[in-house]
Amino acid sequence: MAHIISCFEASNTLRERAKRIIPGGAHTYAKGDDQYPVLSPGFIARGHGAHVWDVDGNRYIEYGMGNRAVSLGHAYPKVLRAVEREIKNGANFTRPASIEVACASAFLDTIEKAEMVKFCKDGSHATSGAVRLARAVTGRSMVARCADHPFFSTDDWFIGTTPMNAGIPKEVQELTLSFKYNDIQGARSLFKQHRGKIAAVILEPSKGDEPKDGFLYRLRDLCHENGALFILDEMITGFRWHLNGAQAFYDIEPDLSCFGKALGNGFAISALAGKREFMELGGIEQREKPRVFLLSTTHGAETHAMAAAIATIQVYHEEPVIEHLMEMGELLRAGVSEIAAQHGLSEHFYASGFASNLVYGTLDQERMPSQAFRTLFLQELIKRGVLAPSLVVSYTHTKRDIRKTLDAVDGALKVYRKALENGVSNYLVGRPSDVVFRATNRFVAPPAEVPTLMPELQRRAPQRESDFHSAGSSFTFP
């Protein structure tokens, strides 16, 4: 039987300092304490492949993979070697570096439906650059975004549509409209209601649900019939659905598309790509239309990040990354479904989505989505050495990792079953996690309360790094 992880002493010390000097205690809301159980690692010290170690030395099989940014695995050797070679020559210069041309060429050779590309550091800049460009092209102000897709940008045009819209003028909020995925009639109604005012439609090609009845084609045609641009956000689908992007998987050509996350295997690089006729408006040669301030950031072309992207793209071309992600994801999905059925939980717990990008659903006694049951499940996985805010696999997840994970799922769902029968509060330590987008905060139990809440766990030996061989030998790269 695996040791039960119970020691978070160093994490709790860091939590106390972090919340005093960092708003939210983390620089990414999705990584904040409010997103995790009280009994959870607060800080990660390092990662190798599909495993991470927290600052207390606890080891986990990880499935968040840097919020889906790490597709090959943590500290992937081929990527690190490329970064180390490049960074020795300097990271940033007054004029462009030659690697900028090499990276753009590698990207466009892969994302074949795009004609030009410009790089930056994060997805928000890329999507907001696409929105600004669409507004410039059309001379219109309004944008329609898919309401089923949870995040597009940190900028006002998107955040203004969420409950967390403090500080965003109402006039800005009203410029962004919403429609549902696979609802072509809903999108058509928006164009009819706001005739001649919508500059662009932006959506992910898929969040896991497949486009029905030619939805993507019909939506693109609807955009063009109404003089709007069709923008695909491929932050997640890019380099997970298909080598050439989900736009190749679904054979749909967007006007503009945005990539990031897995593009650099965790290194900060993102891309805005699209048709030449639009992208050139952000250049210095076209003279017929006003210039567009497309993307221009001091750190947007850091050489080591571009080296990471080139190396990552090369691995995708040379090795069966997509196939492996699909295989591991399908094994995980099948195993989770079988275990849930064995515990009589098929109507209360499930894995869903594209195989390489699985998420799980947690339902309460009334079969309604439940943060408390989600937190309980995550708590029980963490105890058993699995850190899984989602079920997103990497190229370095092995069948052995999947087997161990399914053992942990089995143990977690045993507790879940009991919680359905006896009440979740009898098994969850502390408060439930919360959603990121909320208008106000709720009470969060301070980390200092954790030791008094877990006496039964303190009697169990924690899973420490010393219990294992060195990190470098704990897995084999495919």
Side-chain angles (χ1 to χ4, degrees), residues 315-368:
V315 172
Y316 267 81
H317 277 284
E318 295 177 351
E319 302 184 34
V321 180
I322 297 291
E323 293 83 352
H324 183 82
L325 297 180
M326 294 294 291
E327 180 185 4
M328 294 302 103
E330 290 294 359
L331 286 175
L332 195 56
R333 186 208 304 272
V336 166
S337 297
E338 181 179 347
I339 292 168
Q342 289 173 353
H343 291 288
L345 293 173
S346 296
E347 295 183 349
H348 297 276
F349 182 88
Y350 60 88
S352 64
F354 205 70
S356 61
N357 188 58
L358 294 175
V359 295
Y360 53 83
T362 53
L363 308 182
D364 61 17
Q365 292 90 338
E366 284 72 44
R367 299 171 189 167
M368 297 296 294

Side-chain angles (χ1 to χ4, degrees), residues 93-127:
F93 309 108
T94 303
R95 295 301 308 278
S98 59
I99 196 171
E100 297 181 39
V101 179
C103 190
S105 297
F107 179 90
L108 293 173
D109 286 343
T110 303
I111 308 303
E112 299 170 345
K113 295 183 183 296
E115 296 174 318
M116 299 187 81
V117 63
K118 198 159 189 181
F119 296 111
C120 51
K121 303 307 291 182
D122 59 64
S124 292
H125 275 88
T127 55

Side-chain angles (χ1 to χ4, degrees), residues 56-342:
D56 288 285
N58 300 308
R59 180 191 187 188
Y60 308 87
I61 304 171
E62 201 228 322
Y63 288 94
M65 302 314 296
N67 293 344
R68 299 172 176 82
V70 180
S71 58
L72 300 179
H74 299 293
Y76 196 78
K78 289 184 179 179
V79 176
L80 288 189
R81 287 195 294 268
V83 170
E84 289 168 353
R85 285 193 302 268
E86 192 62 39
I87 204 168
K88 289 177 181 177
N89 297 320
N92 210 332
F93 309 108
T94 303
R95 295 301 308 278
S98 59
I99 196 171
E100 297 181 39
V101 179
C103 190
S105 297
F107 179 90
L108 293 173
D109 286 343
T110 303
I111 308 303
E112 299 170 345
K113 295 183 183 296
E115 296 174 318
M116 299 187 81
V117 63
K118 198 159 189 181
F119 296 111
C120 51
K121 303 307 291 182
D122 59 64
S124 292
H125 275 88
T127 55
S128 292
V131 167
R132 183 184 305 118
L133 184 55
R135 284 171 166 164
V137 168
T138 63
R140 302 170 179 178
S141 300
M142 304 190 87
V143 176
R145 63 97 176 181
C146 183
D148 298 304
H149 300 161
F151 188 82
F152 288 99
S153 176
T154 60
D155 291 312
D156 289 0
W157 69 268
F158 170 70
I159 296 298
T161 69
T162 75
M164 203 172 172
N165 57 18
I168 301 173
K170 184 177 181 181
E171 295 83 358
V172 174
Q173 297 177 35
E174 292 174 348
L175 292 177
T176 303
L177 310 169
S178 298
F179 64 95
K180 291 287 189 178
Y181 193 78
N182 277 326
D183 180 9
I184 194 65
Q185 293 303 324
R188 183 171 286 113
S189 295
L190 287 182
F191 276 105
K192 184 177 180 180
Q193 182 180 354
H194 303 279
R195 194 179 303 275
K197 296 181 180 181
I198 299 176
V201 165
I202 184 168
L203 74 163
E204 297 179 54
S206 169
K207 188 174 174 287
D209 43 348
E210 290 297 292
K212 298 177 181 177
D213 301 322
F215 174 69
L216 292 178
Y217 305 111
R218 296 170 71 189
L219 184 61
R220 179 198 57 191
D221 293 346
L222 181 65
C223 288
H224 292 170
E225 289 166 6
N226 288 274
L229 269 60
F230 178 67
I231 305 171
L232 289 181
D233 177 348
E234 291 226 45
M235 293 299 159
I236 293 174
T237 58
F239 300 97
R240 281 196 176 273
W241 262 240
H242 190 281
L243 169 63
N244 309 116
Q247 55 195 262
F249 185 81
Y250 296 118
D251 193 24
I252 182 76
E253 183 176 352
D255 296 312
L256 301 171
S257 55
C258 307
F259 291 79
K261 293 191 181 286
L263 174 59
N265 197 51
F267 285 89
I269 184 167
S270 59
L272 168 57
K275 295 179 179 179
R276 185 178 307 279
E277 63 180 294
F278 305 130
M279 295 291 290
E280 280 186 329
L281 297 182
I284 60 176
E285 294 182 350
Q286 71 85 23
R287 300 181 181 181
E288 297 178 359
K289 297 182 179 181
R291 297 182 67 194
V292 177
F293 193 92
L294 191 53
L295 291 171
S296 180
T297 59
T298 298
H299 302 289
E302 285 180 320
T303 56
H304 60 280
M306 293 198 170
I310 293 171
T312 299
I313 290 171
Q314 184 177 16
V315 172
Y316 267 81
H317 277 284
E318 295 177 351
E319 302 184 34
V321 180
I322 297 291
E323 293 83 352
H324 183 82
L325 297 180
M326 294 294 291
E327 180 185 4
M328 294 302 103
E330 290 294 359
L331 286 175
L332 195 56
R333 186 208 304 272
V336 166
S337 297
E338 181 179 347
I339 292 168
Q342 289 173 353

Side-chain angles (χ1 to χ4, degrees), residues 371-389:
Q371 283 294 126
F373 276 94
R374 172 183 167 79
T375 313
L376 175 66
F377 179 71
L378 186 49
Q379 168 189 288
E380 295 304 311
L381 287 186
I382 289 169
K383 288 181 187 178
R384 294 162 175 81
V386 175
L387 184 59

